[in-house]
Amino acid sequence: MARLAAVQQQTQPSFSLLPSSLSDFNGTRLHSQVQCKRRVWQTKGALQVSASSSKNILIMGGTRFIGVFLSRLLVKEGHQVTLFTRGKAPITQQLPGESDQDYADFSSKILHLKGDRKDFEFVKTSLAAKGFDVVYDINGREAVEVEPILDALPKLEQFIYCSSAGVYLKSDLLPHSEKDAVDPKSRHKGKLETESLLESRGVNWTSIRPVYIYGPLNYNPVEEWFFHRLKAGRPIPIPNSGIQMTQLGHVKDLAKAFIQVLGNEKASQQVFNISGEKYVTFDGLAKACAKAAGFPEPEIVHYNPKDFDFGKKKAFPFRDQHFFASIDKAKHVLGWEPEFDLVEGLADSYNLDFGRGTYRKEADFFTDDLILGKKLVLQA
C-alpha cells in the first residue's frame, strides 16, 4: 500500500545570517557591500490563489534543490503538496534565513509519498488512490517514467515538466529559442521523448527548459566549482579563450516560473526557456563569482583541453561552447521576469550556502594541477 504521511516538525538549529548576506531564504534584503538593486523573492506576477482554487499537487522529487523552493511557494499559495521520493533524504529541512515559525508552518503542511518511481505498478496504484490535480515532475529523465503517472491520473488537470535547454541542437545562431531544432541524440534525449509523449497523450502539459541553474543547495558543480578555487586562493583554469558565452538562472527565479505556469491557459502545451537576463563569458563568470563572494579578482589561466588526458575527470563544469537561450517568450507570454542579476544571485548562493561552510562536493584540484603544472613547465 502507498505510504502517505504528514511530515512532522523536527527541532532544527536556527541560523543567523552572515553580515554580508544579500538575502535570507525568502529573499529579504540585508545590508551588503555589494551594490545592487533591491530584489525581494516574492511571487511577483504569479497567480493569486484563493481557497477555492487550491490544488492537490504532487511533486516528483522535491527535497534537493528546485523542489525545495517550489514546494514552499506552492504551500504559501494555499495548495496541498505531496512529495514523492524514495525517502533517502529528509523530507523537509530548516534552511538558512528561514524562521522557526515559517519552517514549522511549512513542514506541518507537507505530505510524503515514499516509493521508487521506477516501480511502475506502485506508481500507478498509489497515485490513482490519491487523485492528484497537478503533477510537477522535477526529476523525470525518461518518458517511460512518466507513462504510469499519466495512466494513474486520467483526470489530471496539468502536468508541468522540468526539461532542459540541453535538448537544443548545437548551432551558430544564438540565443536558442523554443522553436529551434532539437538534438535527438543529446544526453537529454529522454526529456525530449517525454515532451513528445505528453503531446501525444493530449494532456494539458507545460515544459520548462532551464539553461544552467545556480543558487543555494545546488548539487551540480556550477558556482561551487569557482567558490572552491577562490577560497583556496588558486588560479582558475578555463578552457581555450574564456570568451565562450553561457547563461545562468537562479533557482528562486526558476521556482517562480514554475508557479506562473500553474493553471495558466497561456502555458497549455507550451515550452518555455527559463534562465537569467544576461549572458556571460567564462572569464566573466569567474570574476562575477569573486565579486559576489568578496574575493579579489582571480588569476585566470587558459588552456587547450586537447593538450591533456584527464581520463574520466571533468576539468571544467560547463560545456566548452557558446550556450544560451532567449527568455523572451516567458517574459511576454507569462509576464515572468528574473529578479536576480548574476552578481547578486551568486552572492545569494554564496552567503546562504558555500559561505556558511556547506557544499555538495569536496574540492578536487587534480585536473587543475595537471593544467597548472604544464603551464609552469612551458614558462620555465
Side-chain angles (χ1 to χ4, degrees), residues 113-309:
L113 185 55
K114 182 179 179 180
D116 186 340
R117 71 176 297 160
K118 294 183 179 180
D119 183 345
F120 300 149
E121 287 304 314
F122 173 79
V123 170
K124 289 180 182 179
T125 56
S126 60
L127 269 58
K130 301 304 172 186
F132 295 102
D133 301 318
V134 177
V135 172
Y136 280 95
D137 193 350
I138 303 300
N139 62 8
R141 294 183 178 276
E142 304 294 338
V144 68
E145 300 171 353
V146 173
E147 285 185 282
I149 299 174
L150 302 180
D151 291 341
L153 301 169
K155 296 182 179 180
L156 186 67
E157 296 177 18
Q158 190 175 12
F159 191 100
I160 303 171
Y161 186 58
C162 186
S163 184
S164 170
V167 302
Y168 292 117
L169 186 67
K170 186 176 180 181
S171 173
D172 293 326
L173 300 176
L174 295 169
H176 286 298
S177 76
E178 290 83 354
K179 294 182 179 180
D180 279 3
V182 293
D183 182 2
K185 297 181 180 180
S186 81
R187 69 184 185 91
H188 297 288
K189 65 179 181 179
K191 291 187 177 291
L192 267 182
E193 291 166 355
T194 299
E195 292 177 350
S196 296
L197 171 69
L198 293 170
E199 187 170 13
S200 69
R201 291 288 293 263
V203 298
N204 179 26
W205 60 272
T206 305
S207 184
I208 300 295
R209 292 177 178 172
V211 188
Y212 288 109
I213 311 168
Y214 74 109
L217 305 182
N218 192 1
Y219 55 81
N220 286 315
V222 178
E223 68 270 41
E224 181 180 288
W225 187 90
F226 291 94
F227 291 153
H228 271 307
R229 285 150 181 79
L230 290 165
K231 182 180 179 182
R234 296 176 62 96
I236 297 183
I238 292 180
N240 294 311
S241 67
I243 63 171
Q244 303 93 313
M245 300 288 291
T246 193
Q247 183 182 23
L248 282 72
H250 198 286
V251 65
K252 295 176 186 175
D253 285 331
L254 176 59
K256 194 178 64 164
F258 273 117
I259 290 291
Q260 288 185 231
V261 301
L262 175 62
N264 189 335
E265 292 183 358
K266 295 179 180 179
S268 180
Q269 299 185 339
Q270 295 293 315
V271 172
F272 296 97
N273 295 330
I274 296 294
S275 194
E277 186 78 55
K278 296 278 190 176
Y279 315 133
V280 63
T281 64
F282 290 165
D283 283 5
L285 179 55
K287 296 172 184 177
C289 285
K291 181 177 181 181
F295 292 105
E297 185 168 309
E299 176 188 354
I300 295 174
V301 174
H302 296 126
Y303 65 96
N304 185 345
K306 294 180 180 179
D307 292 340
F308 299 90
D309 180 7

